[in-house]
Amino acid sequence: GHSMIAVYAADSGVEWQLYQIRQGVSVPTPTMSNGATISTTVTGSLPNLTIKSIGSFGTVKRQFEVNF
C-alpha cells in the first residue's frame, strides 16, 4: 500500500514539473492530502532535460526519472 502511494506521489512530481516547463510559469509544490511528499530536481535544458521526482510515504520512497 505505501509503495503505490509513493509511486503516485513521484508521478505527480513529474507531471508538476512538466506543467511548469510547458506553461513557463512557477507553481507551488503540490501538497498531497494523504501525507505523501514530493521532491523533484530538473537538470539541463531543452532539448536535453532530465526530471527526477521522488515520492515518499511513510518509510517508502519511489523515484521516476524522465529524460527528453
Side-chain angles (χ1 to χ4, degrees), residues 47-63:
N48 297 313
L49 190 73
T50 300
I51 299 171
K52 291 183 183 179
S53 178
I54 300 172
S56 301
F57 188 75
T59 59
V60 178
K61 293 183 180 186
R62 296 294 179 259
Q63 178 175 320

Side-chain angles (χ1 to χ4, degrees), residues 2-23:
H2 289 187
S3 181
M4 286 308 300
I5 294 170
V7 165
Y8 287 129
D11 180 56
S12 294
V14 169
E15 294 296 334
W16 168 64
Q17 288 292 357
L18 286 172
Y19 177 82
Q20 292 187 109
I21 292 164
R22 289 180 183 149
Q23 298 300 318

